[in-house]
Amino acid sequence: MSQKVLLNSKEVTIILHRLACQLIEKHLDFSDTILIGIQPRGVYLAERLKQILENEYQTPEISLGYLDITFFRDDFRRTDKPLEANKTQINFIVEDKKVIFIDDVLFTGRSIRSALTAIQSFGRPSEIELLVLIDRRFSRNLPIQPDYRGRQVDAINGEKVKVSWKENDGEDVVHLVTN
């Protein structure tokens, strides 16, 4: 197994600020906009963006929730290992709000399809956008594209994109892992 660094810590920080600025350009005050981190790995990206928006760009009171899609996935019964569910934490009304799904890697699109189904339990958003740190553009099984992307990566199917966050893994780095 070999791994190559796609993004180092400094590059991740630059991309996070660019994504935050793109969100500000589109949403301005965020009064009708909600950030939803898709469990488990999208949560770190969502929290970091909220922190940058509030602390560095003085955007007040951004609503942030976490969405667990484990049992909404179309492949959840196709595995032998027991599933570990995460926690959904959405403490606000989603009805008629602009929702931004946030995930670390967009691969096949199945997680996002699951999130689209899962969010319906909390109301009907007026619109849904997708923000991802890494877009694996040649791996899609579904016609889902991000509205905001940090970096586009052309990885073949045997390769895996691994995003590490300093809050969980000790450093911000993105690797391309080959088996």
Side-chain angles (χ1 to χ4, degrees), residues 70-71 73-84:
T70 304
F71 298 109
R73 293 186 58 90
D74 59 5
D75 59 356
F76 89 91
R77 286 194 172 93
R78 296 178 183 210
T79 180
D80 292 333
K81 63 181 181 183
L83 291 174
E84 300 261 336

Side-chain angles (χ1 to χ4, degrees), residues 7-40:
L7 297 172
N8 62 32
S9 180
K10 183 177 182 182
E11 292 167 320
V12 169
T13 300
I14 291 167
I15 287 171
L16 291 177
H17 281 84
R18 177 173 49 81
L19 290 169
C21 289
Q22 289 174 346
L23 288 173
I24 292 168
E25 285 175 18
K26 175 92 190 275
H27 296 276
L28 210 55
D29 69 355
F30 289 82
S31 58
D32 285 333
T33 303
I34 297 167
L35 305 182
I36 300 285
I38 296 177
Q39 290 276 24

Side-chain angles (χ1 to χ4, degrees), residues 3 13 31 65 74 113 126 147 172:
Q3 53 181 29
T13 300
S31 58
D74 59 5
R113 190 209 51 81
S126 63
D147 298 283
D172 291 338

Side-chain angles (χ1 to χ4, degrees), residues 137-177:
R137 66 180 176 162
F138 294 135
S139 308
R140 218 74 80 237
N141 296 147
L142 298 168
I144 291 174
Q145 300 300 323
D147 298 283
Y148 312 91
R149 79 172 49 90
R151 172 74 53 90
Q152 219 166 37
V153 174
D154 299 334
I156 56 176
N157 286 335
E159 297 173 319
K160 185 178 180 191
V161 175
K162 183 175 184 287
V163 178
S164 299
W165 296 104
K166 68 180 169 198
E167 295 88 341
N168 189 56
D169 308 300
E171 67 174 332
D172 291 338
V173 65
V174 179
H175 287 105
L176 183 64
V177 180

Side-chain angles (χ1 to χ4, degrees), residues 97-112:
K97 299 286 188 189
K98 295 173 187 162
V99 170
I100 303 169
F101 285 145
I102 299 175
D103 208 358
D104 60 347
V105 179
L106 176 57
F107 184 26
T108 62
R110 292 186 182 281
S111 292
I112 305 308

